[in-house]
Amino acid sequence: MECAAHPDHEATGTCASCKRTLCSACTTYDVDGKTYCEACGRNVEQNSHSIGSALLASVAVGYLATLALGVALFGPKPFVGGLAAIAGIALGRLLQVVVRPPSVTRRQPLAP
Ligand SMILES: [Zn+2]
Ligand SMILES: [Zn+2]
């Protein structure tokens, strides 16, 4: 079996997304233990970044919502801020478990 991009190279695996055969130079990304080519890996990496920023945004929303609720219930007391921070972080953790962003590792430096 030979690499789809390099016919003179022996393939060492396939892309988990587009199923192209890949040599070691073409195996650019590791995603959750699976090998990905350059194009597919980059897509997954961008997805995982947007999931990451969505998670971060939800932490901020959770924090502000709890803060508003806490101030409405207890008035502007110091512990309300702490409570809101805990609620925001807990919400972020919960969502991280639910949506589980893929772990993307780039193996190769950018091709010249
Ligand atoms: Zn691919
Ligand atoms: Zn190759």
Side-chain angles (χ1 to χ4, degrees), residues 4-83:
H6 308 98
D8 53 330
H9 286 194
E10 183 76 6
T12 54
T14 52
C15 171
S17 179
C18 66
K19 312 296 178 199
R20 277 198 322 171
T21 51
L22 305 170
C23 70
S24 58
C26 293
T27 309
T28 318
Y29 286 93
D30 279 318
V31 180
D32 287 339
K34 292 186 221 103
T35 52
Y36 276 65
C37 71
E38 171 79 38
C40 299
R42 200 180 295 162
N43 276 344
V44 176
E45 192 178 38
Q46 271 166 8
N47 267 348
S48 92
H49 283 172
S50 50
I51 292 173
S53 27
L55 282 175
L56 213 61
S58 72
V59 171
V61 169
Y63 172 76
L64 291 174
T66 314
L67 195 65
L69 189 71
V71 170
L73 288 177
F74 309 110
K77 301 265 168 59
F79 75 90
V80 171
L83 203 68

Side-chain angles (χ1 to χ4, degrees), residues 58-59 62-63 83-97:
S58 72
V59 171
Y63 172 76
L83 203 68
I86 292 166
I89 291 164
L91 183 73
R93 285 278 157 80
L94 186 76
L95 287 172
Q96 201 157 28
V97 170

Side-chain angles (χ1 to χ4, degrees), residues 98-112:
V98 175
V99 298
R100 220 181 55 83
S103 79
V104 182
T105 316
R106 191 178 172 90
R107 284 193 185 185
Q108 312 281 348
L110 277 169

